[in-house]
């Protein structure tokens, strides 16, 4: 399956589930990622988002919905699919959409975001999701040719405060800018009500990760409330 920009319309108002585990955790296994992704699809996920080349490969065999792939390299600065090399590896692993840092910060390989997006489009069939931290990032990412815009990095780049839940103000600001590309709400969406709020704020689709696929965090929320 090749996902085209027109094909993104199937994701309108839909739920995308991020299936990721952190290094050292029991669930940090590509086979487990694929199983979690398949379970999310049974529950109604219209697409999934996974991290790591092997995870992308296993998930592609486990689900028949679009796979948004990324490769985290490092922990600070530009580390979400930070270079064209990382991006092409994710595309070659089978991702329908490559998610990459979509901020205006310098990239480790010295390429501009536009050069990176152009390279992905030229060397693969994958679309590009730009993970942004501000409206200015989103505007620049659309100008660079990104196919989707995400609010993934809102509150993590220093441009905006980190909100307790989704950054609804940023969603509304980007939606109001009329950029003409699907706007994906992502980041700190922990309840069904917040997912609904994100759609109402102007999101095209909503990504939920931790609240669905990270048992350690979910367990901690319950334990913390009971201990309070």
């Amino acid at each position: 399956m090749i996902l085209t920009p027109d094909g993104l319309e199937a994701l309108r108002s839909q739920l995308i589930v991020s299936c990721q585990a952190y290094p050292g955790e029991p669930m940090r296994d590509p086979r487990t990622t694929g199983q979690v992704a398949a379970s999310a699809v049974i529950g109604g996920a219209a697409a999934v988002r996974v991290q790591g080349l092997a995870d992308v490969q296993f998930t592609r065999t486990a689900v028949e919905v679009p796979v948004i792939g990324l490769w985290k390299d490092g922990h600070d600065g530009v580390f979400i699919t930070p270079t064209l090399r990382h991006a092409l590896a994710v595309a070659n692993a089978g991702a329908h959409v490559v998610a990459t840092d979509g901020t205006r910060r310098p990239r480790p390989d010295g390429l501009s975001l536009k050069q990176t997006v152009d390279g992905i489009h030229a060397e693969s069939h994958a679309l590009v999701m730009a993970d942004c931290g501000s409206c200015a990032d989103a505007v620049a990412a659309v100008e660079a040719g990104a196919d989707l815009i995400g609010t993934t990095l809102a509150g993590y780049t220093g441009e905006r405060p980190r909100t307790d839940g989704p950054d609804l103000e940023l969603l509304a600001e980007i939606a109001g800018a009329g950029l003409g590309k699907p706007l994906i709400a992502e980041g700190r969406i922990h309840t069904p009500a917040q997912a609904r709020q994100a759609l109402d704020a102007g999101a095209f689709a909503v990504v939920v990760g931790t609240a669905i696929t990270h048992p350690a965090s979910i367990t901690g929320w319950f334990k913390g409330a009971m201990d309070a």
Side-chain angles (χ1 to χ4, degrees), residues 151-154 156 163-167 185-190 207-209:
T151 57
T152 316
L153 292 171
Y156 297 103
T163 53
D164 289 334
D167 192 335
E186 182 172 7
R188 301 181 298 278
I189 300 172
H190 292 160
V207 173
V208 178

Side-chain angles (χ1 to χ4, degrees), residues 16-20 33 37 47-51 56 59 66-70 72 80-81 98-100 129-131 150 152-153 184 186 207-208 213:
I16 301 167
V17 175
S18 180
C19 307
Q20 300 182 39
T33 300
V48 294
R49 177 171 161 127
V50 299
Q51 190 280 136
V56 170
T59 302
V67 174
I68 302 171
L70 60 142
K72 291 180 179 177
I80 298 178
T81 322
V98 174
T100 184
M129 176 175 173
D131 288 349
T152 316
L153 292 171
I184 312 300
E186 182 172 7
V207 173
V208 178
T213 62

Side-chain angles (χ1 to χ4, degrees), residues 1-90:
M1 175 179 72
I2 296 176
L3 185 64
T4 66
D6 289 342
L8 292 173
E9 186 61 31
L11 298 182
R12 182 180 292 275
S13 301
Q14 295 299 308
L15 174 65
I16 301 167
V17 175
S18 180
C19 307
Q20 300 182 39
Y22 298 105
E25 294 184 336
M27 291 179 62
R28 187 71 192 95
D29 183 288
R31 295 165 297 182
T32 302
T33 300
Q35 292 167 337
V36 171
S39 298
V41 171
I42 291 174
V48 294
R49 177 171 161 127
V50 299
Q51 190 280 136
L53 302 184
D55 296 72
V56 170
Q57 293 170 333
F58 273 88
T59 302
R60 271 300 306 267
T61 66
V63 303
E64 295 183 1
V65 300
V67 174
I68 302 171
L70 60 142
W71 178 357
K72 291 180 179 177
D73 192 355
H75 303 282
D76 300 306
V78 176
F79 68 91
I80 298 178
T81 322
T83 70
L84 178 58
R85 176 181 67 84
H86 289 84
L88 292 178
V90 172

